[in-house]
Amino acid sequence: MSNVFIALQKNEETRSIVNAIVADNPGAIVNEQPAMVKIDVPDRLVIKKSTVEEEMGRDFDLQELHINLITLTGHIDETDDEFVLSWAH
Amino acid sequence: MQIDLRTVSITPLRQTYQHIADRQGGDKAASRYIEATMDVQAKDNFHYRPTWDPAHELFDATRTGIVMKDWYALKDPRQLYYGTYTQARARMQETAEADFDFVETRGLADKYDDAARRTALDFYVPLRHVAWGANMNGAYQCAYGYGTAITQPCLYASMDQLGIAQYLSRLGLLLGNPGDLEAAKHAWLEAPAWQGLRRMVEDSWVVKDWFELFVAQNVVLDGLLFPLAYKEADTALSDKAGPTVSMLTRFQTEWFADACKWVDAVVKTTAAESAGNQQLLSKWYADWRARAIEALGPVAGIALGDGAPAALERCTAALDARMSKSGLAV
């Protein structure tokens, strides 16, 4: 049991992504820092394309995440619909 | 000498405006769309009623039969406010310009099949008058509607329709010549095939209830005409003569897909508010749907010949499915 986290730049775009993460990960701990948002979740963090799209009101390619990404921990499992961080092999 | 680098975190005193915080239940950051939309409608301090309509306030929610507890419930899922709207359209316009440029520089219009060219000119160019009518209607909805959440996208749709009218004019000039625009106007005013649609468009201009006009224009007429013109007719032309016209009408195709998201959301929220709303919307939908099908029949014939009835039926079925999913009794 340990946390995974993702840190994103703080801007209009990531506000929607952070909202989506909070909606899909009940255990998320949001840590707002100057110009950066870091989100910790125990075990597993999921970012769902559909939720982000709803928040943003436009189509979203999960690859766009990387434009605003600062750093992350965990093994990455990435599909067209979901971006998952976890320690599972 | 030693230099210390350190960050100073300054926490803002508040994350958003008070009226936004009241709406979303707590002081947290709100999207630019929400901040630029919620409670923007002017409602206080109008001392006199307009002389041209003393029965209503200047901005009055009772100009329509639709009743909403909160008109700001009609949010636009595309979250368009002036900034995002202009950016989104600039992107679409860039693509459209590139398409027109491509067709022009490669001489695709000159190589285009002559029979298909005739069909395209006869069918698409008169539609610019329909688009202009839609431009008028969008402006009316914006002027007499209530609540920025709905009036704002109505005006955007209105401006988009003006752009569509211009793209259709340019299609006419590229495939034909200025004479073809004149001929299309003449067809719009005189040719029997267009008179049903012309009557429907002109009748829509005098609809008093702005929400009924929204149903007539944005739901029904756009909902049937765009799939008919830019999917059915476009496919038929591409099959015969290649995708030149598809490139020249790309803006319309993309715009309709975009607009549907908004129109469906508005209908869904309004219908879900009360049984009264749902019945009124369903009635308007049935009334205008019948008129539009009748009006579009002969017009579809110009582009699709014998295939017209089947194509129109497919478009109608698709619109019925959209609206019943949005909660109307179809």
Side-chain angles (χ1 to χ4, degrees):
Chain A
M1 280 283 188
S2 56
N3 284 354
V4 289
F5 76 76
I6 190 166
L8 299 161
Q9 291 175 39
K10 196 172 177 178
N11 57 36
E12 180 67 15
E13 201 128 289
T14 53
R15 201 187 41 71
S16 316
I17 302 175
V18 171
N19 284 349
I21 295 175
V22 171
D24 288 331
N25 300 274
I29 303 149
V30 181
N31 177 0
E32 304 228 12
Q33 292 177 15
M36 180 179 100
V37 187
K38 181 166 173 272
I39 304 157
D40 286 87
V41 186
D43 290 333
R44 184 172 183 276
L45 182 156
V46 58
I47 303 175
K48 288 185 187 157
K49 177 182 158 83
S50 55
T51 318
V52 178
E53 284 181 347
E54 221 165 274
E55 286 287 334
M56 270 186 189
R58 66 170 175 86
D59 291 341
F60 180 76
D61 184 338
L62 278 176
Q63 298 283 318
E64 287 178 56
L65 194 68
H66 298 278
I67 298 170
N68 298 302
L69 181 66
I70 296 173
T71 180
L72 50 77
T73 61
H75 299 305
I76 299 168
D77 181 12
E78 199 174 6
T79 66
D80 282 348
D81 300 320
E82 285 190 352
F83 181 98
V84 180
L85 293 176
S86 71
W87 296 114
H89 283 287
Chain B
M1 192 179 96
Q2 183 187 341
I3 298 171
D4 275 344
L5 280 178
R6 58 193 186 112
T7 46
V8 180
S9 170
I10 302 170
T11 324
L13 289 178
R14 45 163 71 231
Q15 300 289 335
T16 184
Y17 305 103
Q18 188 59 50
H19 66 283
I20 305 286
D22 291 345
R23 274 188 175 273
Q24 60 181 14
D27 182 35
K28 47 189 187 206
S31 71
R32 299 294 295 272
Y33 168 70
I34 293 293
E35 291 189 342
T37 303
M38 290 297 147
D39 302 309
V40 172
Q41 169 79 58
K43 60 184 175 64
D44 294 320
N45 303 328
F46 293 105
H47 299 279
Y48 307 104
R49 284 168 179 252
T51 50
W52 43 268
D53 183 10
H56 293 102
E57 296 284 348
L58 190 53
F59 299 110
D60 198 320
T62 62
R63 283 184 203 278
T64 171
I66 295 291
V67 182
M68 296 291 290
K69 266 199 300 295
D70 176 15
W71 282 94
Y72 288 93
L74 300 178
K75 285 196 284 284
D76 179 356
R78 304 166 300 172
Q79 302 184 18
L80 296 180
Y81 60 97
Y82 187 76
T84 42
Y85 167 70
T86 46
Q87 280 168 16
R89 288 301 172 270
R91 272 197 300 276
M92 281 168 66
Q93 201 174 345
E94 230 166 69
T95 321
E97 290 299 328
D99 284 345
F100 270 89
D101 206 40
F102 187 87
V103 170
E104 233 166 318
T105 51
R106 310 290 164 104
L108 294 184
D110 299 332
K111 288 180 208 148
Y112 199 61
D113 175 73
D114 270 332
R117 178 200 312 277
R118 199 61 261 155
T119 311
L121 287 171
D122 288 347
F123 177 68
Y124 285 115
V125 184
L127 286 179
R128 71 198 186 107
H129 300 285
V130 182
W132 185 75
N135 167 250
M136 301 272 287
N137 285 341
Y140 183 92
Q141 292 157 31
C142 178
Y144 295 97
Y146 191 82
T148 308
I150 178 78
T151 56
Q152 165 173 257
C154 281
L155 191 63
Y156 297 155
S158 165
M159 297 316 294
D160 291 335
Q161 293 275 8
L162 192 62
I164 287 167
Q166 290 172 349
Y167 279 127
L168 289 171
S169 309
R170 284 177 60 186
L171 177 148
L173 290 172
L174 194 52
L175 288 179
N177 54 54
D180 285 306
L181 298 192
E182 279 299 317
K185 183 175 176 188
H186 194 258
W188 175 248
L189 292 174
E190 311 286 346
W194 288 100
Q195 297 317 302
L197 185 55
R198 183 178 151 217
R199 182 170 303 117
M200 182 181 166
V201 169
E202 292 181 358
D203 282 353
S204 74
W205 290 341
V206 293
V207 171
K208 270 266 183 229
D209 187 314
W210 64 271
F211 214 112
E212 179 177 1
L213 187 58
F214 176 87
V215 173
Q217 177 68 53
N218 302 42
V219 175
V220 177
L221 188 53
D222 289 352
L224 289 176
L225 180 63
F226 277 73
L228 181 73
Y230 304 111
K231 200 167 147 205
E232 297 287 348
D234 184 68
T235 311
L237 279 174
S238 300
D239 288 349
K240 265 190 230 135
T244 304
V245 164
S246 310
M247 294 180 72
L248 301 180
T249 56
R250 173 160 163 173
F251 182 91
Q252 287 92 311
T253 316
E254 288 179 1
W255 177 80
F256 180 67
D258 190 55
C260 278
K261 289 187 212 159
W262 164 58
V263 170
D264 290 2
V266 169
V267 172
K268 195 171 180 184
T269 312
T270 315
E273 171 102 358
S274 68
N277 281 357
Q278 199 259 8
Q279 278 161 11
L280 200 52
L281 286 173
S282 302
K283 180 186 173 301
W284 286 335
Y285 177 68
D287 290 352
W288 286 100
R289 175 185 179 278
R291 286 203 62 172
I293 292 170
E294 197 189 322
L296 286 172
V299 173
I302 298 173
L304 293 150
D306 296 342
L312 194 52
E313 229 160 79
R314 281 193 294 274
C315 298
T316 313
L319 182 60
D320 283 348
R322 263 178 66 199
M323 285 307 118
S324 86
K325 200 173 155 213
S326 302
L328 296 196
V330 175

